[in-house]
Amino acid sequence: MKLLSLRSGVLVASAAVATLAFGLAAPGQAAEHPAGGAAAKANPTLREVADRTGRFVGTAINDGRLGDTTYANIAKSEFSSVTAENAMKWGSVEPNRGQFNWAAADRLVSFAQSNNQKVYGHTLVWHSQMPNWLANGSFSNSELRTIMTNHVTTQVSRYKGKVQRWDVVNEAFNEDGTLRQSKFQQQLGESYIADAFRAARAADPGAKLFINDYNTEGTGAKSNGLYNLVQRLKSQGVPIDGVGFQSHLIVNQVPSTMKANLQRFADLGLEIVVSELDIRMATPADSTKLQQQAANYKTVAQTCLAISRCAGITVWGFGDRDSWVPGTFPGQGAANLYDDNYQPKPAYTAFRDGLAGS
Ligand code: G3I
């Protein structure tokens, strides 16, 4: 404990510097698992710390990077859960109608099994990254419903017992809290959501089923829309187990209402996860922004810990060099726990402190 509080005191130092100061192994290099001795370990991994409170700490995995030893070592030693960044999306697994390509998704599942990690399935029904045949095809409403439920059934069945949680429906909302006019919503109406959840439950009754979205972390119109939908689904007996809050955040803009907002969803009897955390900044990074980012990562970890039904946090990749952010928001980036060279940033230590409850 003394060491931990000392560590909080050196928040300004990167974990690498702290490591030197304490003469300990570098984060990401220690592949041991917490065999009850984690509490005594001076420089625990993220997963060791998260294990102590019964939470998972996950990362999105870029399939193309798994062959890089540094990348793979951090992924396996620091994280207790993995999410496919792209490999389980509809466009990846069913590029042609009825023809499935599981190679990359299987690789991830097997990586997780080898490293005693959970798998978070992302994502079954989403308006984006659909295969061309689906995005551009014309189908009757009943045909589209069958296409959707077949896809859900096939994918969830394949990983029955191997994927613990699924994002069944992703990003169903507009910013004003109305339902997004995706192909599914346009043709099938809101009932597509219930049907997707029912198909997933039937295919693997043991998997926890989530709805996932962004800009729903704080209270507001979008979050209210999601809340109302979840209430409707529950009252209709639709098998929904949890809500994912993506949390693609901006430095110094962690919503002040995040804890209260996540708590109200938890109070519906649902599991909560932070599903895609990253915290971006205007680049280049500087030490002020990195310290602010570190504090923000810690706040999000503490927010999850404060909610008993918050099962864990997944970061959307761990190295800045792999992040989706600069490609989507030019001039922004440095959003992750590790820098371009996979050196831990101040955010790493702060996030770990937050996960530890310190
Ligand atoms: O696979 C093709 C490749 O064949 C092609 O040569 C290349 C050229 O652009 O594109 C490759 O596909 C890219 C794909 O990532 C795999 O690398 C797509 O262009 C690119 O758009 C895609 O971006 C992903 C994005 O989702 C798509 O919307 C990001 O990696 C991924 O981080 C991001 O993740 C989403 C979550 O799923 C949902 N929430 C938001 C989050 C961030 O946008």
Side-chain angles (χ1 to χ4, degrees):
M1 284 313 282
K2 198 175 172 199
L3 262 183
L4 276 178
S5 61
L6 272 175
R7 279 191 172 283
S8 318
V10 291
L11 209 61
V12 287
S14 76
V17 172
T19 290
L20 286 175
F22 291 105
L24 302 165
Q29 309 305 311
E32 299 142 65
H33 287 218
K41 200 173 162 196
N43 193 33
T45 60
L46 298 175
R47 68 184 289 178
E48 288 171 337
V49 170
D51 273 355
R52 293 178 199 159
T53 61
R55 264 67 175 198
F56 69 81
V57 59
T59 181
I61 294 288
N62 178 333
D63 178 64
R65 300 287 301 135
L66 272 181
D68 179 294
T69 309
T70 305
Y71 181 93
N73 280 344
I74 295 173
K76 70 174 84 159
S77 60
E78 293 288 338
F79 298 98
S80 56
S81 174
V82 288
T83 302
E85 185 171 2
N86 290 295
M88 288 192 178
K89 291 172 180 173
W90 200 327
S92 302
V93 301
E94 196 182 358
N96 300 299
R97 187 172 175 180
Q99 288 180 3
F100 291 85
N101 176 1
W102 302 112
D106 283 359
R107 247 191 315 275
L108 182 75
V109 171
S110 125
F111 180 84
Q113 289 178 334
S114 304
N115 297 302
N116 189 28
Q117 293 169 307
K118 293 179 166 55
V119 181
Y120 192 105
H122 175 80
T123 177
L124 299 169
V125 181
W126 187 27
H127 69 277
S128 181
Q129 282 181 295
M130 292 197 285
N132 287 336
W133 65 266
L134 175 61
N136 303 321
S138 284
F139 310 102
S140 72
N141 294 350
S142 67
E143 197 179 8
L144 182 63
R145 197 178 293 274
T146 304
I147 286 171
M148 182 191 75
T149 53
N150 279 350
H151 174 76
V152 171
T153 302
T154 305
Q155 187 159 355
V156 175
S157 301
R158 179 170 183 90
Y159 297 112
K160 184 176 181 183
K162 297 176 178 172
V163 168
Q164 289 72 38
R165 294 177 177 82
W166 280 105
D167 284 336
V168 177
V169 173
N170 195 39
E171 301 176 3
F173 283 90
N174 296 312
E175 295 305 302
D176 67 0
T178 59
L179 283 163
R180 184 193 292 271
Q181 290 301 305
S182 68
K183 191 179 189 93
F184 305 104
Q185 176 68 29
Q186 272 177 6
Q187 285 194 235
L188 309 178
E190 183 180 315
S191 67
Y192 88 88
I193 297 174
D195 285 352
F197 275 88
R198 291 194 180 102
R201 176 69 94 228
D204 184 357
K208 290 183 179 169
L209 307 180
F210 280 71
I211 190 164
N212 188 49
D213 218 319
Y214 62 92
N215 287 353
T216 48
E217 295 78 24
T219 49
K222 192 172 188 181
S223 170
N224 288 342
L226 176 62
Y227 184 83
N228 293 335
L229 171 71
V230 170
Q231 274 194 317
R232 285 199 296 282
L233 294 173
K234 297 257 314 166
S235 71
Q236 292 160 13
V238 175
I240 178 168
D241 301 304
V243 181
F245 296 86
Q246 293 186 8
S247 308
H248 293 293
L249 302 176
I250 298 170
V251 160
N252 275 344
Q253 294 182 33
V254 180
S256 59
T257 53
M258 187 167 178
K259 185 168 146 195
N261 186 47
L262 269 55
Q263 185 65 58
R264 72 172 171 153
F265 283 88
D267 289 344
L268 294 174
L270 294 162
E271 198 171 272
I272 300 304
V273 297
V274 173
S275 54
E276 305 183 14
L277 177 62
D278 50 27
I279 305 179
R280 61 184 183 267
M281 63 182 70
T283 48
D286 61 30
S287 64
T288 304
K289 288 185 266 187
L290 290 172
Q291 293 314 317
Q292 291 165 338
Q293 180 187 53
N296 294 163
Y297 265 100
K298 185 172 182 178
T299 297
V300 174
Q302 289 171 328
T303 300
C304 178
L305 246 59
I307 298 170
S308 59
R309 289 182 189 273
C310 182
I313 301 178
T314 293
V315 293
W316 207 239
F318 50 87
D320 285 343
R321 55 160 288 170
D322 304 315
S323 173
W324 67 287
V325 169
T328 302
F329 299 104
Q332 298 183 54
N336 296 348
L337 298 174
Y338 292 76
D339 69 15
D340 287 338
N341 300 311
Y342 296 121
Q343 293 304 304
K345 293 158 60 181
Y348 171 91
T349 314
F351 184 54
R352 187 174 63 180
D353 287 346
L355 289 174
S358 58

